[in-house]
């Protein structure tokens, strides 16, 4: 009745929230169809993942009290991290080429990304990052995996990062679109990414020297 309530019980819930919510599992999150059937891949996967794990994710029915707020993306991420870390603690993942490649990519991007902890899990279907943790699907090393990791890093950093852009360009230029990759191939791609950075900075300097790189001013008309 907490999840589908008429006006009178809504008023009771709003006035005595701790009393009535005490009947629910500790740390319960609420999710409506807006989350469980979301067009956002992470929200939809997280809701299904937590439900399969038996986490206290309770459905919000139409007409539920406004005092029961929809779980945010941050709350879902936090709960998924807790569940995934507990699973990894029971069965640590073996080190793979994908993990070694991801570590190389984090080192290339550098700065804040160096402090992130990267995890691969077969339970993860959608890459995401929360706090100091980045979770990736346990798939074979290929270009798609590296590009998804770069996109996840960009979102986690919350800012435009030149090195992520340079790496993205280098991966499209040098790595095959399909099939697996070797670590030496990644090393060559990262070398190209460094070169892209050098070329980009040189181009920016030329623009500054040339006054913005626009078209030359038209000659003055004769007097």
């Amino acid at each position: 009745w907490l999840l589908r309530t008429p006006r009178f019980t809504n008023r009771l819930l709003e006035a005595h929230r701790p009393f009535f919510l005490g009947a629910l599992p500790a740390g319960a999150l609420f999710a409506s169809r807006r989350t469980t059937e979301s067009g956002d891949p992470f929200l939809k996967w997280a809701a299904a993942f937590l439900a399969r794990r038996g986490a206290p994710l309770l459905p919000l029915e139409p007409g539920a009290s406004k005092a029961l707020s929809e779980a945010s993306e941050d709350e879902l991420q936090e709960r998924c991290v807790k569940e995934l870390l507990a699973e990894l603690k029971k069965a640590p993942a073996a080190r793979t080429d994908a993990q070694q490649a991801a570590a190389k990519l984090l080192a290339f991007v550098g700065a804040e990304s160096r402090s992130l902890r990267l995890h691969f899990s077969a339970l993860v279907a959608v890459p995401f990052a929360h706090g100091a943790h980045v979770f990736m699907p346990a798939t074979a090393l290929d270009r798609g995996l590296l590009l998804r990791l770069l996109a996840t890093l960009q979102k986690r950093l919350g800012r435009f990062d030149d090195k992520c852009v340079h790496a993205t360009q280098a991966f499209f230029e040098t790595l095959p679109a399909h099939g697996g990759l070797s670590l030496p191939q990644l090393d060559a791609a990262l070398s190209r990414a460094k070169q892209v950075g050098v070329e980009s900075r040189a181009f920016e300097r030329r623009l500054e020297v040339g006054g913005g790189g626009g078209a030359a001013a038209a000659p003055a008309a004769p007097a």
Side-chain angles (χ1 to χ4, degrees):
W1 65 270
L2 282 173
L3 305 177
R4 186 181 299 187
T5 53
R7 183 176 301 175
F8 174 69
T9 49
N10 275 348
R11 292 176 62 186
L12 287 177
L13 177 57
E14 290 168 3
H16 306 283
R17 181 183 175 91
F19 174 79
F20 288 111
L21 294 190
L24 298 177
L29 298 178
F30 302 98
S32 69
R33 292 175 62 183
R34 185 175 64 185
T35 294
T36 59
E37 299 179 12
S38 173
D40 182 294
F42 173 77
L43 294 181
K44 187 172 183 178
W45 168 79
F49 168 72
L50 292 174
R52 289 195 302 269
R53 299 281 296 179
L57 185 70
L58 306 179
L60 278 179
E61 300 290 349
S65 172
K66 294 180 180 179
L68 302 176
S69 56
E70 184 98 14
S72 67
E73 181 176 359
D74 187 71
E75 288 174 319
L76 291 172
Q77 288 178 347
E78 182 178 6
R79 191 61 55 84
C80 287
V81 168
K82 182 179 179 180
E83 294 288 335
L84 289 166
L85 290 179
E87 192 65 28
L88 289 172
K89 187 175 181 179
K90 291 189 293 185
R95 190 161 178 81
T96 64
D97 281 355
Q99 288 178 306
Q100 294 180 62
K104 286 175 178 282
L105 187 52
L106 288 178
F108 170 79
V109 174
E112 184 183 347
S113 64
R114 292 178 184 272
S115 63
L116 298 177
R117 299 182 61 186
L118 189 62
H119 311 276
F120 283 79
S121 172
L123 298 174
V124 176
V126 180
F128 74 98
H130 181 80
H133 300 280
V134 178
F135 284 91
M136 298 292 296
T139 60
L141 174 58
D142 60 15
R143 191 178 77 175
L145 178 69
L146 295 173
L147 293 173
R148 289 195 297 273
L149 176 54
L150 280 173
T152 305
L153 285 177
Q154 281 273 62
K155 185 175 181 179
R156 168 62 182 79
L157 294 174
R159 56 180 168 76
F160 181 83
D161 188 271
D162 285 341
K163 286 191 175 181
C164 287
V165 176
H166 301 158
T168 299
Q169 178 179 331
F171 290 169
F172 276 109
E173 287 181 358
T174 64
L175 299 178
H178 306 288
L181 300 176
S182 66
L183 293 176
Q185 283 178 293
L186 174 62
D187 290 336
L190 292 178
S191 293
R192 171 56 186 152
K194 293 177 182 177
Q195 184 181 2
V196 170
V198 172
E199 294 170 355
S200 176
R201 289 186 291 273
F203 178 72
E204 291 171 358
R205 285 194 296 271
R206 289 198 299 273
L207 287 180
E208 292 173 358
V209 172

mmCIF file of all heavy atoms in Angstrom, residues 82-120:
data_model
loop_
_atom_site.group_PDB
_atom_site.id
_atom_site.type_symbol
_atom_site.label_atom_id
_atom_site.label_comp_id
_atom_site.label_asym_id
_atom_site.label_seq_id
_atom_site.Cartn_x
_atom_site.Cartn_y
_atom_site.Cartn_z
ATOM 1 N N LYS A 82 28.411 -1.713 -4.990
ATOM 2 C CA LYS A 82 28.427 -2.544 -3.781
ATOM 3 C C LYS A 82 28.224 -4.013 -4.123
ATOM 4 O O LYS A 82 28.937 -4.897 -3.622
ATOM 5 C CB LYS A 82 27.336 -2.064 -2.826
ATOM 6 C CG LYS A 82 27.282 -2.826 -1.514
ATOM 7 C CD LYS A 82 26.184 -2.278 -0.607
ATOM 8 C CE LYS A 82 26.107 -3.069 0.702
ATOM 9 N NZ LYS A 82 25.031 -2.537 1.591
ATOM 10 N N GLU A 83 27.259 -4.304 -4.983
ATOM 11 C CA GLU A 83 26.964 -5.688 -5.365
ATOM 12 C C GLU A 83 28.119 -6.291 -6.164
ATOM 13 O O GLU A 83 28.510 -7.448 -5.943
ATOM 14 C CB GLU A 83 25.673 -5.739 -6.188
ATOM 15 C CG GLU A 83 24.419 -5.359 -5.438
ATOM 16 C CD GLU A 83 23.986 -6.408 -4.429
ATOM 17 O OE1 GLU A 83 24.333 -7.591 -4.615
ATOM 18 O OE2 GLU A 83 23.314 -6.045 -3.448
ATOM 19 N N LEU A 84 28.673 -5.531 -7.094
ATOM 20 C CA LEU A 84 29.733 -6.052 -7.951
ATOM 21 C C LEU A 84 31.027 -6.289 -7.180
ATOM 22 O O LEU A 84 31.716 -7.295 -7.393
ATOM 23 C CB LEU A 84 29.979 -5.094 -9.113
ATOM 24 C CG LEU A 84 28.866 -5.048 -10.165
ATOM 25 C CD1 LEU A 84 29.034 -3.848 -11.075
ATOM 26 C CD2 LEU A 84 28.853 -6.337 -10.994
ATOM 27 N N LEU A 85 31.373 -5.374 -6.271
ATOM 28 C CA LEU A 85 32.582 -5.561 -5.479
ATOM 29 C C LEU A 85 32.470 -6.791 -4.584
ATOM 30 O O LEU A 85 33.447 -7.526 -4.391
ATOM 31 C CB LEU A 85 32.868 -4.320 -4.638
ATOM 32 C CG LEU A 85 33.329 -3.071 -5.400
ATOM 33 C CD1 LEU A 85 33.551 -1.912 -4.436
ATOM 34 C CD2 LEU A 85 34.609 -3.352 -6.187
ATOM 35 N N ALA A 86 31.280 -7.022 -4.039
ATOM 36 C CA ALA A 86 31.070 -8.207 -3.207
ATOM 37 C C ALA A 86 31.254 -9.480 -4.028
ATOM 38 O O ALA A 86 31.842 -10.465 -3.564
ATOM 39 C CB ALA A 86 29.671 -8.172 -2.593
ATOM 40 N N GLU A 87 30.778 -9.462 -5.267
ATOM 41 C CA GLU A 87 30.919 -10.626 -6.141
ATOM 42 C C GLU A 87 32.373 -10.845 -6.536
ATOM 43 O O GLU A 87 32.868 -11.980 -6.559
ATOM 44 C CB GLU A 87 30.053 -10.434 -7.390
ATOM 45 C CG GLU A 87 29.891 -11.679 -8.232
ATOM 46 C CD GLU A 87 29.128 -12.787 -7.525
ATOM 47 O OE1 GLU A 87 28.287 -12.468 -6.664
ATOM 48 O OE2 GLU A 87 29.389 -13.971 -7.832
ATOM 49 N N LEU A 88 33.080 -9.758 -6.861
ATOM 50 C CA LEU A 88 34.489 -9.873 -7.238
ATOM 51 C C LEU A 88 35.352 -10.333 -6.073
ATOM 52 O O LEU A 88 36.372 -10.997 -6.272
ATOM 53 C CB LEU A 88 34.997 -8.534 -7.770
ATOM 54 C CG LEU A 88 34.454 -8.115 -9.149
ATOM 55 C CD1 LEU A 88 34.862 -6.693 -9.472
ATOM 56 C CD2 LEU A 88 34.949 -9.070 -10.231
ATOM 57 N N LYS A 89 34.955 -9.990 -4.871
ATOM 58 C CA LYS A 89 35.698 -10.428 -3.697
ATOM 59 C C LYS A 89 35.602 -11.940 -3.537
ATOM 60 O O LYS A 89 36.563 -12.608 -3.142
ATOM 61 C CB LYS A 89 35.163 -9.726 -2.446
ATOM 62 C CG LYS A 89 35.988 -9.985 -1.196
ATOM 63 C CD LYS A 89 35.472 -9.170 -0.020
ATOM 64 C CE LYS A 89 36.311 -9.411 1.227
ATOM 65 N NZ LYS A 89 35.822 -8.600 2.385
ATOM 66 N N LYS A 90 34.447 -12.496 -3.888
ATOM 67 C CA LYS A 90 34.260 -13.950 -3.787
ATOM 68 C C LYS A 90 35.004 -14.692 -4.892
ATOM 69 O O LYS A 90 35.512 -15.794 -4.676
ATOM 70 C CB LYS A 90 32.766 -14.286 -3.855
ATOM 71 C CG LYS A 90 31.972 -13.846 -2.634
ATOM 72 C CD LYS A 90 30.569 -14.399 -2.657
ATOM 73 C CE LYS A 90 29.755 -13.814 -3.778
ATOM 74 N NZ LYS A 90 28.328 -14.245 -3.750
ATOM 75 N N ALA A 91 35.052 -14.083 -6.064
ATOM 76 C CA ALA A 91 35.700 -14.744 -7.218
ATOM 77 C C ALA A 91 36.476 -13.710 -8.016
ATOM 78 O O ALA A 91 35.964 -13.159 -9.005
ATOM 79 C CB ALA A 91 34.651 -15.424 -8.096
ATOM 80 N N PRO A 92 37.714 -13.401 -7.608
ATOM 81 C CA PRO A 92 38.517 -12.396 -8.318
ATOM 82 C C PRO A 92 38.703 -12.771 -9.788
ATOM 83 O O PRO A 92 38.899 -13.935 -10.121
ATOM 84 C CB PRO A 92 39.854 -12.423 -7.562
ATOM 85 C CG PRO A 92 39.529 -13.000 -6.219
ATOM 86 C CD PRO A 92 38.423 -13.985 -6.460
ATOM 87 N N ALA A 93 38.620 -11.757 -10.636
ATOM 88 C CA ALA A 93 38.761 -11.992 -12.077
ATOM 89 C C ALA A 93 40.222 -12.226 -12.441
ATOM 90 O O ALA A 93 41.123 -11.601 -11.886
ATOM 91 C CB ALA A 93 38.218 -10.800 -12.862
ATOM 92 N N ALA A 94 40.448 -13.169 -13.356
ATOM 93 C CA ALA A 94 41.804 -13.425 -13.842
ATOM 94 C C ALA A 94 42.270 -12.257 -14.712
ATOM 95 O O ALA A 94 41.466 -11.602 -15.371
ATOM 96 C CB ALA A 94 41.825 -14.720 -14.646
ATOM 97 N N ARG A 95 43.557 -11.984 -14.687
ATOM 98 C CA ARG A 95 44.100 -10.870 -15.470
ATOM 99 C C ARG A 95 44.129 -11.256 -16.944
ATOM 100 O O ARG A 95 44.659 -12.294 -17.321
ATOM 101 C CB ARG A 95 45.495 -10.500 -14.979
ATOM 102 C CG ARG A 95 46.024 -9.197 -15.578
ATOM 103 C CD ARG A 95 47.144 -8.654 -14.742
ATOM 104 N NE ARG A 95 47.722 -7.425 -15.292
ATOM 105 C CZ ARG A 95 47.196 -6.228 -15.133
ATOM 106 N NH1 ARG A 95 46.072 -6.095 -14.449
ATOM 107 N NH2 ARG A 95 47.773 -5.148 -15.637
ATOM 108 N N THR A 96 43.575 -10.414 -17.786
ATOM 109 C CA THR A 96 43.463 -10.680 -19.217
ATOM 110 C C THR A 96 44.151 -9.570 -20.016
ATOM 111 O O THR A 96 44.558 -8.541 -19.475
ATOM 112 C CB THR A 96 41.978 -10.745 -19.630
ATOM 113 O OG1 THR A 96 41.387 -9.450 -19.402
ATOM 114 C CG2 THR A 96 41.223 -11.792 -18.810
ATOM 115 N N ASP A 97 44.254 -9.807 -21.342
ATOM 116 C CA ASP A 97 44.803 -8.771 -22.215
ATOM 117 C C ASP A 97 43.955 -7.499 -22.143
ATOM 118 O O ASP A 97 44.488 -6.385 -22.214
ATOM 119 C CB ASP A 97 44.851 -9.275 -23.659
ATOM 120 C CG ASP A 97 46.032 -10.198 -23.917
ATOM 121 O OD1 ASP A 97 46.868 -10.368 -23.004
ATOM 122 O OD2 ASP A 97 46.117 -10.755 -25.025
ATOM 123 N N ALA A 98 42.629 -7.668 -22.022
ATOM 124 C CA ALA A 98 41.745 -6.502 -21.947
ATOM 125 C C ALA A 98 42.072 -5.666 -20.719
ATOM 126 O O ALA A 98 42.105 -4.429 -20.782
ATOM 127 C CB ALA A 98 40.290 -6.950 -21.927
ATOM 128 N N GLN A 99 42.329 -6.313 -19.593
ATOM 129 C CA GLN A 99 42.674 -5.577 -18.376
ATOM 130 C C GLN A 99 44.012 -4.863 -18.515
ATOM 131 O O GLN A 99 44.172 -3.711 -18.092
ATOM 132 C CB GLN A 99 42.702 -6.528 -17.178
ATOM 133 C CG GLN A 99 41.323 -6.995 -16.730
ATOM 134 C CD GLN A 99 41.403 -7.978 -15.583
ATOM 135 O OE1 GLN A 99 42.100 -8.996 -15.680
ATOM 136 N NE2 GLN A 99 40.705 -7.698 -14.515
ATOM 137 N N GLN A 100 44.995 -5.555 -19.103
ATOM 138 C CA GLN A 100 46.297 -4.926 -19.302
ATOM 139 C C GLN A 100 46.192 -3.742 -20.262
ATOM 140 O O GLN A 100 46.827 -2.697 -20.048
ATOM 141 C CB GLN A 100 47.292 -5.952 -19.843
ATOM 142 C CG GLN A 100 47.608 -7.072 -18.857
ATOM 143 C CD GLN A 100 48.609 -8.058 -19.436
ATOM 144 O OE1 GLN A 100 49.742 -7.697 -19.741
ATOM 145 N NE2 GLN A 100 48.193 -9.310 -19.594
ATOM 146 N N ALA A 101 45.380 -3.895 -21.311
ATOM 147 C CA ALA A 101 45.191 -2.804 -22.264
ATOM 148 C C ALA A 101 44.512 -1.616 -21.589
ATOM 149 O O ALA A 101 44.890 -0.457 -21.810
ATOM 150 C CB ALA A 101 44.358 -3.291 -23.444
ATOM 151 N N ALA A 102 43.517 -1.897 -20.760
ATOM 152 C CA ALA A 102 42.808 -0.824 -20.062
ATOM 153 C C ALA A 102 43.750 -0.080 -19.123
ATOM 154 O O ALA A 102 43.685 1.153 -19.013
ATOM 155 C CB ALA A 102 41.627 -1.398 -19.300
ATOM 156 N N ALA A 103 44.629 -0.814 -18.452
ATOM 157 C CA ALA A 103 45.600 -0.177 -17.556
ATOM 158 C C ALA A 103 46.534 0.742 -18.349
ATOM 159 O O ALA A 103 46.877 1.845 -17.901
ATOM 160 C CB ALA A 103 46.394 -1.240 -16.802
ATOM 161 N N LYS A 104 46.956 0.294 -19.538
ATOM 162 C CA LYS A 104 47.810 1.123 -20.391
ATOM 163 C C LYS A 104 47.076 2.406 -20.803
ATOM 164 O O LYS A 104 47.659 3.492 -20.830
ATOM 165 C CB LYS A 104 48.220 0.348 -21.646
ATOM 166 C CG LYS A 104 49.269 -0.738 -21.432
ATOM 167 C CD LYS A 104 49.494 -1.512 -22.725
ATOM 168 C CE LYS A 104 50.573 -2.579 -22.569
ATOM 169 N NZ LYS A 104 51.935 -1.994 -22.603
ATOM 170 N N LEU A 105 45.792 2.266 -21.112
ATOM 171 C CA LEU A 105 45.012 3.423 -21.544
ATOM 172 C C LEU A 105 44.820 4.417 -20.397
ATOM 173 O O LEU A 105 44.920 5.636 -20.599
ATOM 174 C CB LEU A 105 43.660 2.950 -22.086
ATOM 175 C CG LEU A 105 42.776 4.015 -22.743
ATOM 176 C CD1 LEU A 105 43.535 4.779 -23.809
ATOM 177 C CD2 LEU A 105 41.536 3.364 -23.339
ATOM 178 N N LEU A 106 44.570 3.919 -19.196
ATOM 179 C CA LEU A 106 44.446 4.804 -18.036
ATOM 180 C C LEU A 106 45.758 5.556 -17.798
ATOM 181 O O LEU A 106 45.758 6.754 -17.491
ATOM 182 C CB LEU A 106 44.073 4.008 -16.787
ATOM 183 C CG LEU A 106 42.641 3.462 -16.707
ATOM 184 C CD1 LEU A 106 42.468 2.656 -15.435
ATOM 185 C CD2 LEU A 106 41.622 4.583 -16.765
ATOM 186 N N ALA A 107 46.877 4.846 -17.946
ATOM 187 C CA ALA A 107 48.175 5.483 -17.753
ATOM 188 C C ALA A 107 48.414 6.554 -18.819
ATOM 189 O O ALA A 107 48.992 7.611 -18.539
ATOM 190 C CB ALA A 107 49.284 4.435 -17.796
ATOM 191 N N PHE A 108 47.964 6.304 -20.047
ATOM 192 C CA PHE A 108 48.130 7.285 -21.114
ATOM 193 C C PHE A 108 47.317 8.543 -20.832
ATOM 194 O O PHE A 108 47.824 9.663 -20.973
ATOM 195 C CB PHE A 108 47.695 6.690 -22.462
ATOM 196 C CG PHE A 108 47.618 7.707 -23.560
ATOM 197 C CD1 PHE A 108 48.764 8.141 -24.205
ATOM 198 C CD2 PHE A 108 46.391 8.247 -23.948
ATOM 199 C CE1 PHE A 108 48.692 9.107 -25.210
ATOM 200 C CE2 PHE A 108 46.321 9.200 -24.950
ATOM 201 C CZ PHE A 108 47.478 9.627 -25.581
ATOM 202 N N VAL A 109 46.060 8.373 -20.433
ATOM 203 C CA VAL A 109 45.214 9.534 -20.145
ATOM 204 C C VAL A 109 45.778 10.293 -18.952
ATOM 205 O O VAL A 109 45.815 11.519 -18.923
ATOM 206 C CB VAL A 109 43.757 9.098 -19.885
ATOM 207 C CG1 VAL A 109 42.903 10.288 -19.450
ATOM 208 C CG2 VAL A 109 43.171 8.452 -21.139
ATOM 209 N N GLY A 110 46.277 9.548 -17.950
ATOM 210 C CA GLY A 110 46.988 10.149 -16.831
ATOM 211 C C GLY A 110 46.115 10.978 -15.916
ATOM 212 O O GLY A 110 44.886 10.859 -15.899
ATOM 213 N N ALA A 111 46.760 11.860 -15.151
ATOM 214 C CA ALA A 111 46.101 12.766 -14.203
ATOM 215 C C ALA A 111 45.165 11.988 -13.282
ATOM 216 O O ALA A 111 45.538 10.970 -12.715
ATOM 217 C CB ALA A 111 45.371 13.867 -14.964
ATOM 218 N N GLU A 112 43.927 12.441 -13.188
ATOM 219 C CA GLU A 112 42.969 11.854 -12.247
ATOM 220 C C GLU A 112 42.667 10.390 -12.554
ATOM 221 O O GLU A 112 42.375 9.593 -11.653
ATOM 222 C CB GLU A 112 41.678 12.668 -12.275
ATOM 223 C CG GLU A 112 40.619 12.236 -11.264
ATOM 224 C CD GLU A 112 39.347 13.045 -11.392
ATOM 225 O OE1 GLU A 112 39.360 14.083 -12.085
ATOM 226 O OE2 GLU A 112 38.346 12.637 -10.785
ATOM 227 N N SER A 113 42.733 10.008 -13.824
ATOM 228 C CA SER A 113 42.381 8.641 -14.205
ATOM 229 C C SER A 113 43.331 7.609 -13.600
ATOM 230 O O SER A 113 42.974 6.437 -13.466
ATOM 231 C CB SER A 113 42.367 8.507 -15.735
ATOM 232 O OG SER A 113 43.657 8.715 -16.264
ATOM 233 N N ARG A 114 44.547 8.032 -13.229
ATOM 234 C CA ARG A 114 45.506 7.092 -12.648
ATOM 235 C C ARG A 114 45.025 6.530 -11.306
ATOM 236 O O ARG A 114 45.435 5.448 -10.908
ATOM 237 C CB ARG A 114 46.862 7.770 -12.440
ATOM 238 C CG ARG A 114 47.597 8.145 -13.726
ATOM 239 C CD ARG A 114 48.900 8.845 -13.413
ATOM 240 N NE ARG A 114 49.598 9.305 -14.601
ATOM 241 C CZ ARG A 114 50.449 8.564 -15.292
ATOM 242 N NH1 ARG A 114 50.713 7.334 -14.897
ATOM 243 N NH2 ARG A 114 51.049 9.053 -16.361
ATOM 244 N N SER A 115 44.169 7.275 -10.617
ATOM 245 C CA SER A 115 43.695 6.837 -9.301
ATOM 246 C C SER A 115 42.454 5.961 -9.381
ATOM 247 O O SER A 115 41.974 5.461 -8.362
ATOM 248 C CB SER A 115 43.397 8.057 -8.424
ATOM 249 O OG SER A 115 42.336 8.833 -8.983
ATOM 250 N N LEU A 116 41.914 5.758 -10.584
ATOM 251 C CA LEU A 116 40.705 4.960 -10.736
ATOM 252 C C LEU A 116 41.030 3.466 -10.677
ATOM 253 O O LEU A 116 42.091 3.031 -11.113
ATOM 254 C CB LEU A 116 40.023 5.284 -12.066
ATOM 255 C CG LEU A 116 39.551 6.728 -12.244
ATOM 256 C CD1 LEU A 116 38.961 6.924 -13.631
ATOM 257 C CD2 LEU A 116 38.541 7.095 -11.180
ATOM 258 N N ARG A 117 40.113 2.704 -10.129
ATOM 259 C CA ARG A 117 40.261 1.243 -10.050
ATOM 260 C C ARG A 117 39.365 0.613 -11.112
ATOM 261 O O ARG A 117 38.155 0.817 -11.124
ATOM 262 C CB ARG A 117 39.886 0.747 -8.655
ATOM 263 C CG ARG A 117 40.758 1.320 -7.547
ATOM 264 C CD ARG A 117 40.378 0.749 -6.197
ATOM 265 N NE ARG A 117 40.546 -0.694 -6.170
ATOM 266 C CZ ARG A 117 40.163 -1.466 -5.140
ATOM 267 N NH1 ARG A 117 39.595 -0.927 -4.078
ATOM 268 N NH2 ARG A 117 40.363 -2.760 -5.185
ATOM 269 N N LEU A 118 39.995 -0.140 -11.985
ATOM 270 C CA LEU A 118 39.288 -0.712 -13.127
ATOM 271 C C LEU A 118 38.912 -2.160 -12.850
ATOM 272 O O LEU A 118 39.733 -2.947 -12.377
ATOM 273 C CB LEU A 118 40.179 -0.625 -14.360
ATOM 274 C CG LEU A 118 39.565 -0.965 -15.704
ATOM 275 C CD1 LEU A 118 38.440 0.001 -16.041
ATOM 276 C CD2 LEU A 118 40.634 -0.894 -16.781
ATOM 277 N N HIS A 119 37.647 -2.514 -13.140
ATOM 278 C CA HIS A 119 37.159 -3.874 -12.912
ATOM 279 C C HIS A 119 36.463 -4.390 -14.175
ATOM 280 O O HIS A 119 35.717 -3.657 -14.820
ATOM 281 C CB HIS A 119 36.144 -3.914 -11.760
ATOM 282 C CG HIS A 119 36.589 -3.198 -10.521
ATOM 283 N ND1 HIS A 119 37.394 -3.783 -9.568
ATOM 284 C CD2 HIS A 119 36.339 -1.939 -10.083
ATOM 285 C CE1 HIS A 119 37.607 -2.922 -8.589
ATOM 286 N NE2 HIS A 119 36.984 -1.807 -8.877
ATOM 287 N N PHE A 120 36.721 -5.652 -14.502
ATOM 288 C CA PHE A 120 36.011 -6.322 -15.580
ATOM 289 C C PHE A 120 35.143 -7.415 -14.964
ATOM 290 O O PHE A 120 35.615 -8.174 -14.117
ATOM 291 C CB PHE A 120 36.990 -6.935 -16.575
ATOM 292 C CG PHE A 120 37.617 -5.933 -17.505
ATOM 293 C CD1 PHE A 120 38.675 -5.136 -17.084
ATOM 294 C CD2 PHE A 120 37.148 -5.770 -18.801
ATOM 295 C CE1 PHE A 120 39.255 -4.210 -17.918
ATOM 296 C CE2 PHE A 120 37.729 -4.851 -19.654
ATOM 297 C CZ PHE A 120 38.779 -4.059 -19.218
#
